[in-house]
PDB file of all heavy atoms in Angstrom:
ATOM      1  N   PRO A 110       6.526  12.730   2.025  1.00 97.00           N
ATOM      2  CA  PRO A 110       7.974  13.175   2.211  1.00 97.00           C
ATOM      3  C   PRO A 110       8.274  14.627   2.169  1.00 97.00           C
ATOM      4  O   PRO A 110       9.336  15.125   2.491  1.00 97.00           O
ATOM      5  CB  PRO A 110       8.774  12.498   1.026  1.00 97.00           C
ATOM      6  CG  PRO A 110       7.567  12.310  -0.004  1.00 97.00           C
ATOM      7  CD  PRO A 110       6.324  12.161   0.746  1.00 97.00           C
ATOM      8  N   GLY A 111       7.185  15.486   1.682  1.00 97.00           N
ATOM      9  CA  GLY A 111       7.280  16.858   1.582  1.00 97.00           C
ATOM     10  C   GLY A 111       7.846  17.397   0.247  1.00 97.00           C
ATOM     11  O   GLY A 111       8.483  16.672  -0.492  1.00 97.00           O
ATOM     12  N   THR A 112       7.576  18.661   0.014  1.00 98.00           N
ATOM     13  CA  THR A 112       8.132  19.437  -1.075  1.00 98.00           C
ATOM     14  C   THR A 112       8.980  20.448  -0.532  1.00 98.00           C
ATOM     15  O   THR A 112       8.343  21.427   0.344  1.00 98.00           O
ATOM     16  CB  THR A 112       7.090  19.990  -2.107  1.00 98.00           C
ATOM     17  OG1 THR A 112       6.394  18.922  -2.710  1.00 98.00           O
ATOM     18  CG2 THR A 112       7.702  20.883  -3.053  1.00 98.00           C
ATOM     19  N   ARG A 113      10.267  20.567  -0.939  1.00 97.00           N
ATOM     20  CA  ARG A 113      11.093  21.791  -0.403  1.00 97.00           C
ATOM     21  C   ARG A 113      11.117  22.884  -1.425  1.00 97.00           C
ATOM     22  O   ARG A 113      11.681  22.650  -2.420  1.00 97.00           O
ATOM     23  CB  ARG A 113      12.479  21.118  -0.091  1.00 97.00           C
ATOM     24  CG  ARG A 113      12.460  20.751   1.372  1.00 97.00           C
ATOM     25  CD  ARG A 113      13.341  19.442   1.450  1.00 97.00           C
ATOM     26  NE  ARG A 113      13.061  18.773   2.779  1.00 97.00           N
ATOM     27  CZ  ARG A 113      12.111  17.875   3.007  1.00 97.00           C
ATOM     28  NH1 ARG A 113      11.335  17.486   1.951  1.00 97.00           N
ATOM     29  NH2 ARG A 113      11.951  17.396   4.112  1.00 97.00           N
ATOM     30  N   LEU A 114      10.482  23.979  -1.069  1.00 97.00           N
ATOM     31  CA  LEU A 114      10.390  25.133  -1.945  1.00 97.00           C
ATOM     32  C   LEU A 114      11.421  26.147  -1.614  1.00 97.00           C
ATOM     33  O   LEU A 114      11.541  26.487  -0.489  1.00 97.00           O
ATOM     34  CB  LEU A 114       8.988  25.791  -1.829  1.00 97.00           C
ATOM     35  CG  LEU A 114       8.753  26.983  -2.615  1.00 97.00           C
ATOM     36  CD1 LEU A 114       8.829  26.823  -4.093  1.00 97.00           C
ATOM     37  CD2 LEU A 114       7.533  27.703  -2.216  1.00 97.00           C
ATOM     38  N   THR A 115      12.119  26.437  -2.626  1.00 97.00           N
ATOM     39  CA  THR A 115      13.180  27.492  -2.477  1.00 97.00           C
ATOM     40  C   THR A 115      12.797  28.614  -3.433  1.00 97.00           C
ATOM     41  O   THR A 115      12.693  28.403  -4.678  1.00 97.00           O
ATOM     42  CB  THR A 115      14.579  27.029  -2.946  1.00 97.00           C
ATOM     43  OG1 THR A 115      14.990  25.866  -1.998  1.00 97.00           O
ATOM     44  CG2 THR A 115      15.687  28.039  -2.660  1.00 97.00           C
ATOM     45  N   VAL A 116      12.756  29.879  -2.825  1.00 97.00           N
ATOM     46  CA  VAL A 116      12.379  31.001  -3.708  1.00 97.00           C
ATOM     47  C   VAL A 116      13.709  31.902  -3.809  1.00 97.00           C
ATOM     48  O   VAL A 116      14.237  32.330  -2.736  1.00 97.00           O
ATOM     49  CB  VAL A 116      11.330  31.865  -3.151  1.00 97.00           C
ATOM     50  CG1 VAL A 116      11.038  33.049  -3.908  1.00 97.00           C
ATOM     51  CG2 VAL A 116      10.022  30.994  -2.971  1.00 97.00           C
ATOM     52  N   LEU A 117      14.183  32.034  -4.946  1.00 96.00           N
ATOM     53  CA  LEU A 117      15.394  32.817  -5.243  1.00 96.00           C
ATOM     54  C   LEU A 117      15.129  34.312  -5.290  1.00 96.00           C
ATOM     55  O   LEU A 117      14.052  34.828  -5.692  1.00 96.00           O
ATOM     56  CB  LEU A 117      16.095  32.386  -6.507  1.00 96.00           C
ATOM     57  CG  LEU A 117      16.481  30.917  -6.542  1.00 96.00           C
ATOM     58  CD1 LEU A 117      17.008  30.568  -7.866  1.00 96.00           C
ATOM     59  CD2 LEU A 117      17.454  30.459  -5.425  1.00 96.00           C
TER      60      LEU A 117
END
Side-chain angles (χ1 to χ4, degrees):
Chain A
T112 293
R113 275 143 192 88
L114 172 66
T115 301
V116 179
L117 302 177

